[in-house]
């Protein structure tokens, strides 16, 4: 990034501000403006109030920004879908709880933020779903094309999947990210790229989980220098039993994956038809985790019996649900015959897609993802580098580093 050394200095400075910034807070605006000037950049301010020289829309500020510029967003609710791809800029909210960027993400092409680099801090990002939005059909083989993707998929709250990622990094710091449609984050990695999510709360209540990620789909951008970090996060995944959907396209790619102090609230269910056959995941079935005594740090699993739709509706109203871990919903009205006929027998919290659905040597059976030793303190054992739970003594075998 253009001024990587100053990134955390700016974030620290913003955090020092004790109260919500207002449009009249010239001292704070001037301080950021001076910082930008010293680094050869510009500061743009966005406000709901009609202040001379300020922008009324974030997108307007983005459109005239250059690498290294800072966009300060004053409190308010902004109905925008932002596209910052190809720009290495900073968008900083004056206060996370009062700076809200929201958009109807019913269509795949309209995430709240579409980005490839930069810093996003102190923001609440909401990809909302209108109550009467139709449910999109399942995509058949070869049905999805660039022209038809909106017919089958809704949008993420954050979409990061662009060749301009290569050689850059993107950071989300102190953000609340909510998706009522698809995953909170849809991420396609490129070589020489790092994506980090720090002190963030992610909540999914749509048809998908927290994150969908894949490695480079173009050999030009493949490699072993890809990094994905989640640190001091709270995950609330009530949209799909798979909190994480990780795809390996090129088994020779390598993604260094770090989970640190991630508190996860997610669910599993005996409605096995919600799960997918061909999952290459090598961890434990949730129903097996229930049977193991929690004598050490291990994934808490607690149960609820009742009609699935009713239980899920109640869970989505709570923020967060009762205790970290996996809530196993047993719906006695479900017929096991339907799932058995579909060939689906496993209940997993993670979906791993590899070439030919064959387990690999990486994290949880993946072909391209490897946990770093910094992965620890997470409520789901599969996220910890060396979990000591009886159920899953190891979560990866790394034949490259000998772990």
């Amino acid at each position: 990034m253009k001024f990587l050394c100053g990134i955390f200095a700016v974030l620290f400075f913003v955090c020092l501000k004790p109260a919500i910034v207002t449009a009249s807070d010239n001292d704070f605006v001037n301080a950021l403006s001076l910082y930008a000037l010293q680094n050869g950049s510009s500061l743009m301010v966005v406000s709901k109030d009609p202040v001379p020289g300020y922008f009324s829309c974030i997108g307007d500020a983005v459109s005239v920004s250059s690498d290294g510029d800072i966009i300060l967003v004053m409190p308010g609710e902004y109905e925008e879908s932002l596209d910052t791809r190809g720009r290495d800029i900073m968008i900083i909210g004056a206060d996370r709880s009062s700076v809200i960027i929201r958009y109807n993400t019913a269509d795949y092409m309209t995430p709240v933020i579409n980005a490839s680099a930069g810093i996003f801090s102190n923001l609440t990002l909401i990809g909302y779903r209108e109550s009467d939005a139709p449910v999109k059909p399942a995509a058949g083989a070869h049905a999805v094309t660039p022209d038809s993707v909106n017919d089958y998929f809704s949008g993420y709250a954050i979409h990061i999947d662009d060749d301009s990622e290569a050689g850059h990094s993107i950071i989300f710091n102190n953000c609340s990210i909510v998706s009522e449609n698809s995953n909170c984050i849809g991420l396609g990695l490129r070589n020489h790229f790092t994506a980090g999510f720090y002190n963030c709360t992610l909540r999914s209540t749509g048809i998908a989980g927290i994150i969908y990620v894949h490695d480079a789909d173009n050999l030009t951008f493949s490699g072993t220098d890809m990094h994905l970090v989640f640190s001091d996060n709270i995950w609330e995944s009530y949209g799909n039993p798979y909190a994480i959907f990780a795809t390996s396209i090129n088994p020779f790619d390598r993604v260094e994956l770090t989970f640190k102090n991630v508190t996860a609230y997610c669910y599993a269910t005996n409605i096995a038809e919600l799960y997918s056959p061909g999952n290459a995941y090598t961890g434990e079935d949730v129903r097996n985790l229930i049977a193991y005594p929690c004598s050490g740090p291990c994934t808490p699993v607690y149960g609820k019996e009742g009609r699935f739709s009713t239980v899920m509706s109640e869970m989505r109203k709570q923020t967060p649900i009762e205790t970290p871990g996996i809530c196993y919903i047993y719906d006695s009205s479900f017929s096991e015959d339907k799932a058995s006929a579909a060939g689906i027998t496993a209940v997993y919290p993670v979906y791993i897609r590899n070439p030919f659905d064959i387990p690999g040597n990486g994290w949880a059976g993946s072909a391209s993802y490897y946990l770093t030793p910094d992965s620890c303190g997470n409520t789901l054992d599969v996220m910890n580098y060396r979990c000591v739970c009886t159920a899953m003594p190891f979560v990866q075998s790394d034949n490259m580093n000998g772990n």
Side-chain angles (χ1 to χ4, degrees):
M1 296 182 67
K2 188 174 181 180
F3 51 101
L4 183 61
C5 293
I7 287 172
F8 288 102
V10 171
L11 297 182
F12 178 74
F13 179 77
V14 170
C15 291
L16 289 179
K17 188 74 174 68
I20 297 175
V21 180
T22 65
S24 62
D25 199 336
N26 293 325
D27 289 341
F28 183 63
V29 173
N30 290 339
L32 276 180
S33 182
L34 178 61
Y35 179 88
L37 183 64
Q38 290 173 341
N39 287 277
S41 305
S42 300
L43 172 70
M44 287 157 279
V45 182
V46 183
S47 175
K48 286 293 182 180
D49 297 326
V51 179
Y54 286 8
F55 292 85
S56 60
C57 297
I58 306 171
D60 290 345
V62 170
S63 67
V64 298
S65 65
S66 300
D67 285 357
D69 286 349
I70 302 173
I71 298 174
L72 174 62
V73 185
M74 296 301 189
E77 189 169 293
Y78 299 81
E79 184 80 11
E80 301 190 54
S81 175
L82 303 177
D83 191 341
T84 69
R85 289 175 294 180
R87 300 174 191 267
D88 198 345
I89 61 176
M90 302 175 67
I91 299 181
I92 300 175
D95 175 77
R96 167 171 145 170
S97 63
S98 61
V99 177
I100 300 169
I101 308 172
R102 63 195 303 272
Y103 205 78
N104 180 355
T105 54
D107 288 337
Y108 180 81
M109 303 305 293
T110 57
V112 181
I113 290 181
N114 206 344
S116 57
I119 299 290
F120 300 83
S121 183
N122 296 350
L123 304 168
T124 292
L125 310 172
I126 302 175
Y128 69 84
R129 173 185 175 84
E130 294 183 337
S131 59
D132 59 349
V135 177
K136 297 191 176 184
H142 310 296
V144 180
T145 67
D147 293 330
S148 68
V149 65
N150 275 340
D151 296 333
Y152 297 100
F153 295 104
S154 53
Y156 308 106
I158 297 171
H159 193 197
I160 306 168
D161 189 3
D162 191 79
D163 291 345
S164 61
E165 294 169 21
H168 291 85
S169 65
I170 191 166
I171 291 175
F172 286 82
N173 176 71
N174 192 37
C175 291
S176 175
I177 304 163
V178 179
S179 179
E180 298 177 359
N181 287 294
S182 189
N183 302 82
C184 289
I185 305 163
L187 177 58
L189 298 167
R190 304 296 192 275
N191 201 28
H192 308 302
F193 176 70
T194 297
F197 297 82
Y198 302 90
N199 304 302
C200 291
T201 297
L202 297 87
R203 179 178 173 86
S204 171
T205 61
I207 60 171
I210 295 296
I211 180 172
Y212 170 68
V213 59
H214 65 78
D215 58 329
D217 56 5
N218 184 323
L219 289 177
T220 302
F221 297 99
S222 293
T224 59
D225 185 25
M226 292 177 265
H227 307 268
L228 182 56
V229 180
F230 296 93
S231 179
D232 297 309
N233 283 194
I234 296 175
W235 289 13
E236 300 172 41
S237 181
Y238 316 134
N240 187 281
Y242 298 126
I244 308 170
F245 192 127
T247 293
S248 295
I249 296 175
N250 181 354
F252 299 103
D253 283 340
R254 183 182 178 95
V255 179
E256 298 289 337
L257 178 61
T258 300
F259 299 108
K260 190 168 185 179
N261 300 326
V262 175
T263 301
Y265 302 81
C266 54
Y267 81 91
T269 176
N270 71 318
I271 305 179
E273 62 182 326
L274 293 180
Y275 297 86
S276 302
N279 189 351
Y281 181 71
T282 55
E284 282 288 334
D285 189 299
V286 170
R287 293 166 294 189
N288 293 340
L289 293 176
I290 296 174
Y292 287 102
C294 252
S295 57
C298 57
T299 299
V301 182
Y302 55 99
K304 287 182 180 288
E305 184 170 359
R307 185 172 293 276
F308 176 77
S309 59
T310 301
V311 175
M312 285 303 299
S313 177
E314 289 303 313
M315 287 169 60
R316 287 169 176 167
K317 292 177 183 177
Q318 302 177 50
T319 308
I321 55 177
E322 298 167 355
T323 55
I326 300 173
C327 177
Y328 180 69
I329 304 170
Y330 181 81
D331 189 338
S332 58
S333 66
F334 173 71
S335 171
E336 295 286 352
D337 295 339
K338 190 173 182 180
S340 298
I344 302 166
T345 58
V347 177
Y348 293 140
V350 174
Y351 188 92
I352 299 293
R353 175 182 287 168
N354 291 333
F356 311 109
D357 296 326
I358 299 172
N361 292 325
W363 170 68
S366 71
S368 306
Y369 303 85
Y370 290 83
L371 285 185
T372 67
D374 289 335
S375 297
C376 62
N378 308 294
T379 59
L380 298 183
D381 289 315
V382 70
M383 294 180 175
N384 294 318
Y385 181 73
R386 279 288 181 264
C387 76
V388 296
C389 179
T390 306
M392 294 195 304
F394 301 101
V395 294
Q396 74 177 356
S397 61
D398 184 341
N399 58 10
M400 296 182 70
N401 287 343
N403 292 332

